Amino acid sequence: MRYPMEPYRIKVIESIADTTPDERRRILEEAGFNLFAVSADKVTIDLLTDSGTSAMSDRQWAGLMVGDESYAGSRNYYHFEETVREIFGYKYVIPAHQGRVAENLLFSTVVGKGSFVPNNIHFDTTRANVEHNFGRAVDCVIDAALHPTADHPFKGNMDLRKLEALIRERGAENIPLCLMTITNNSGGGQPVSMENIKSTRKLLDQYNIPLYFDACRFAENCYFIKKREAGYENRSMLSIAREIFSYGDGCTMSAKKDGLVNIGGFLCSNNHDLATSITNLLILVEGFPTYGGLAGRDLEAIAIGLKEVLDERYLESRISQVRCLGEELDSRGVPILKPPGGHAIYLDARAFLPHIPQEQFPAQALACALYLEGGIRGVEIGGLMFGHKDPATGKEVFPELEMVRLAVPRRVYTSAHIEFVAETICSVFRDRDAIRGYEIVYEAPVLRHFTARMRPIDG
Ligand code: PM9
């Protein structure tokens, strides 16, 4: 596996757990076969999420030391605001302590009973925040996104026919805004093309509906545009980012992804009245507008991270690392969602373990097998996370896809780590027939995957 070398070197290190297979079996049993309940100290390679898990640079750590913790008017806020304006180009910049708070502030202001919010695919927290405000979250992604092996350079694109059908059916007056998630996490970290962004904007203009971006992984999306879309080959990352955001009215952002920090987020808008209402709400629930639930030092780290993430050499090495893992697995017959996305590889558990019926949670069985084999922690995105009981029949309803997501933290793992991940997965793949399904012994009424306890069927 070869990919461009990392454009940085290591200055601080963190030890990795060394556990034996017997220890891992005991740990997993004690955790009720739920990887969320496993202590991070007992994980060898942690691919649970790329959110908040980035390694900060020496400049960001230095930035923490110049944190100005004044209640009002911290100098770090002004640096943060100036940087966000330079990249995103929006008038009003409202800090929040993470992405879902920005979502909550936005939707609790504009979404109500009878509202519909389209998106390519809503992330879980986005959908939950729309629904919490009694709106309906509607996914309008192109059909190719729903087929794990369909090859498409921009599998995160919005299907304009689906979007227009929704507007006509529900009425533009009931659609307070349209979202666009770049890259599209729930569809495999797949990018959206500039052409699609422009066309979406054009369509929305006909109906006077604002466009907001869920910008968590915007820099990764910019890189895909540069590599895959004609006319962008010679453009800088910053100019691509500025063009993307010029087609929108605002964005929500979890800086825990492409902000290269461990905590933080923000909301942007060009709408004065909306920004004023949200700022008033911010003061009630997060904090004063120049810190929004964050320390001054955190704002400084975000300001620096947002610039670093647009370094093309960094993006080249980051996206290539994920791609090489995917290509290596694919070349050895391991079924993955194609093409590899920007931040994660998704294993297709149904194809990996065809002998385990969906009622026995094949993706959870695969996630447990990866931990048992090599201490690798991924996350189940399948029947355990999205399955639910039909209120009418009491029967379990399962989602279309059964995946294990392996999200790669930014600037954290080396190629040797990624090779170890590939070898572990291939070794589990060779012995896949021995893997058994699971059953649930405890589940919470909502979001059961976080706290469920499971047991293997047949011991
Ligand atoms: N995404 C992820 O692992 C972290 C939370 S779930 C373990 O993928 C999008 C596209 C996201 C996202 C978080 C959020 C929420 C919004 N949109 O976690 O609240 O991928 O900062 O961001 C996670 P926060």
Side-chain angles (χ1 to χ4, degrees):
M1 280 171 55
R2 295 191 66 79
Y3 51 86
M5 75 172 190
E6 291 81 1
Y8 47 84
R9 57 187 176 179
I10 297 166
K11 186 161 1 199
V12 175
I13 59 150
E14 185 181 2
S15 292
I16 284 181
D18 187 18
T19 50
T20 64
D22 281 347
E23 279 169 338
R24 291 198 289 275
R25 176 153 293 285
R26 184 183 48 73
I27 290 163
L28 203 54
E29 263 174 37
E30 282 172 12
F33 296 92
N34 185 338
L35 292 163
F36 280 104
V38 171
S39 153
D41 285 349
K42 304 294 178 198
V43 175
T44 309
I45 305 284
D46 205 345
L47 307 180
L48 180 69
T49 179
D50 64 320
S51 176
T53 52
S54 301
M56 291 209 298
S57 68
D58 49 359
R59 284 156 163 260
Q60 286 176 295
W61 282 102
L64 298 184
M65 294 306 294
V66 293
D68 166 4
E69 305 308 339
S70 308
Y71 188 89
S74 155
R75 67 173 162 260
N76 310 113
Y77 171 76
Y78 297 116
H79 182 203
F80 160 82
E81 183 189 48
E82 179 193 305
T83 309
V84 173
R85 280 206 185 125
E86 183 188 341
I87 298 170
F88 295 79
Y90 299 120
K91 262 196 209 142
Y92 305 101
V93 180
I94 300 165
H97 84 268
Q98 62 181 95
R100 68 197 70 182
V101 181
E103 293 168 350
N104 184 282
L105 290 165
L106 178 62
F107 301 142
S108 58
T109 308
V110 300
V111 172
K113 205 157 179 251
S115 300
F116 292 81
V117 179
N119 198 337
N120 41 3
I121 305 186
H122 289 82
F123 183 65
D124 324 17
T125 58
T126 326
R127 182 181 306 281
N129 271 299
V130 170
E131 289 172 358
H132 184 69
N133 289 291
F134 308 103
R136 289 257 298 276
V138 185
D139 296 339
C140 296
V141 76
I142 55 169
D143 286 343
L146 308 172
H147 300 285
T149 52
D151 210 2
H152 190 297
F154 292 102
K155 231 174 161 176
N157 278 356
M158 189 81 80
D159 185 321
L160 297 177
R161 272 172 311 171
K162 289 185 193 170
L163 179 58
E164 186 153 30
L166 177 81
I167 299 171
R168 292 217 168 140
E169 190 191 340
R170 302 298 184 177
E173 67 284 6
N174 295 316
I175 303 184
L177 79 176
C178 172
L179 282 169
M180 171 91 92
T181 305
I182 53 170
T183 58
N184 184 27
N185 184 11
S186 307
Q190 302 291 333
V192 180
S193 71
M194 192 72 88
E195 200 277 322
N196 187 255
I197 293 171
K198 268 196 256 184
S199 314
T200 303
R201 174 72 208 212
K202 217 165 144 197
L203 174 65
L204 295 172
D205 275 347
Q206 289 173 31
Y207 295 94
N208 215 8
I209 297 171
L211 174 63
Y212 277 70
F213 291 98
D214 177 339
C216 300
R217 298 177 179 86
F218 76 98
E220 292 169 4
N221 203 101
C222 290
Y223 180 82
F224 282 117
I225 288 177
K226 175 154 182 152
K227 292 290 156 181
R228 296 183 183 170
E229 195 161 349
Y232 290 90
E233 308 76 358
N234 300 317
R235 293 270 298 272
S236 72
M237 290 298 143
L238 178 62
S239 82
I240 297 177
R242 288 187 63 96
E243 182 178 341
I244 291 179
F245 295 116
S246 73
Y247 299 120
D249 299 282
C251 69
T252 57
M253 172 77 187
S254 167
K256 297 173 74 172
K257 286 83 168 170
D258 274 350
L260 296 176
V261 290
N262 308 118
I263 195 72
F266 54 88
L267 171 71
C268 291
S269 181
N270 278 339
N271 181 326
H272 173 267
D273 293 348
L274 180 69
T276 307
S277 304
I278 289 177
T279 302
N280 290 337
L281 191 57
L282 181 85
I283 295 171
L284 183 70
V285 298
E286 275 278 270
F288 192 72
T290 58
Y291 74 85
L294 291 164
R297 56 180 174 270
D298 296 327
L299 291 165
E300 188 62 25
I302 298 171
I304 298 168
L306 286 172
K307 287 273 177 74
E308 290 182 355
V309 81
L310 289 170
D311 171 0
E312 201 172 323
R313 284 197 310 151
Y314 152 73
L315 284 166
E316 168 93 15
S317 122
R318 151 87 178 148
I319 306 254
S320 305
Q321 187 181 49
V322 175
R323 178 175 43 77
C324 282
L325 173 61
E327 285 174 357
E328 176 71 9
L329 295 173
D330 187 37
S331 72
R332 292 164 78 171
V334 177
I336 61 164
L337 188 146
K338 287 192 225 174
H343 68 295
I345 292 300
Y346 293 66
L347 303 176
D348 181 351
R350 274 175 145 175
F352 199 115
L353 301 172
H355 59 285
I356 301 184
Q358 211 176 3
E359 309 79 76
Q360 295 182 10
F361 305 102
Q364 182 63 13
L366 178 53
C368 288
L370 297 181
Y371 179 74
L372 288 172
E373 180 71 17
I376 294 169
R377 174 157 69 172
V379 67
E380 191 262 13
I381 303 191
L384 183 61
M385 187 179 273
F386 292 122
H388 59 275
K389 293 217 168 42
D390 183 322
T393 62
K395 276 195 173 165
E396 190 81 22
V397 183
F398 289 99
E400 189 74 14
L401 299 175
E402 276 284 326
M403 299 280 173
V404 174
R405 185 184 77 170
L406 305 168
V408 183
R410 295 169 182 78
R411 306 193 293 205
V412 170
Y413 292 118
T414 66
S415 55
H417 293 124
I418 297 297
E419 273 173 30
F420 172 78
V421 171
E423 287 311 318
T424 304
I425 295 169
C426 289
S427 152
V428 171
F429 188 57
R430 271 193 302 275
D431 298 334
R432 61 193 179 279
D433 292 344
I435 299 174
R436 293 282 160 270
Y438 282 76
E439 62 190 347
I440 296 178
V441 291
Y442 163 76
E443 65 182 296
V446 284
L447 296 172
R448 66 182 182 181
H449 54 288
F450 288 119
T451 52
R453 294 188 69 81
M454 320 276 295
R455 102 177 128 218
I457 292 169
D458 303 336

